[in-house]
Amino acid sequence: MYSEKVMDHFQNPRNVGEIENASGMGTVGNAKCGDIMRIYLDIDENHVIRDVKFKTFGCGAAVATSSMATELVKGKTIEEAMQVTNKAVCEALDGLPPVKIHCSLLAEEAIHAALWDYAEKNNIVIEGLEKPKTDIGEEEIEEEY
Ligand code: FES
C-alpha cells in the first residue's frame, strides 16, 4: 500500500526534534483526524533555511511526509521553500494512497505557519504566503503530549 520511500521515511524519519530559539515555529492541526504537527525553522540573515525540525502527534503518513518535506526545504531560501507543496512532497515519496493525501497537507501547512511566524517576527512579507488558518496555540500541543 505504501511506497518504499514512504516506509523508509516513516521508519527512519529525518529531522525529528526541536530547535531552541527557532527563527519561526508553526503548529497546525488536521481537522479530519485531529493529528498535530509542529515545525521549527532556523533561518539565516540571507533568508536561507539552515536547519529544520519537526515534531508530530500524527499518523505514519504524516510522519513520512513531514520527514520528506523537511528534507526538501533544508538549505533552501524561504522563497524556494514556498514551492514545496504537498504535491511535491507526495511526488518525492512516489505517491501516497488517496485516503492519506490529507496527511501530507499537515507538513505544508506547518511549514507555512512557521514561515508566517518568521515573517511576523522580522516584519517582512513573503510572497504568496497567507496567514495559516489552522495554526493552533502553544498550549494545545503540550496537552496532547
Ligand atoms: Fe491524521 Fe494522517 S490520519 S495526519
Side-chain angles (χ1 to χ4, degrees), residues 73 84 118:
V73 300
V84 178
Y118 169 75

Side-chain angles (χ1 to χ4, degrees), residues 9-74:
H9 278 264
F10 168 57
Q11 279 162 345
N12 311 294
R14 327 303 197 255
N15 309 308
V16 174
E18 54 186 282
I19 296 174
E20 251 182 76
N21 303 320
S23 319
M25 187 187 81
T27 309
V28 298
N30 186 314
K32 283 189 185 157
C33 62
D35 288 348
I36 292 173
M37 175 72 55
R38 176 175 287 174
I39 295 262
Y40 301 83
L41 297 173
D42 176 23
I43 301 171
D44 73 12
E45 58 288 353
N46 298 318
H47 293 177
V48 173
I49 299 172
R50 256 191 310 227
D51 198 11
V52 48
K53 295 268 189 254
F54 80 94
K55 259 186 178 176
T56 188
F57 185 83
C59 73
V63 171
T65 49
S66 303
S67 168
M68 179 56 93
T70 55
E71 287 285 273
L72 292 176
V73 300
K74 206 185 221 174

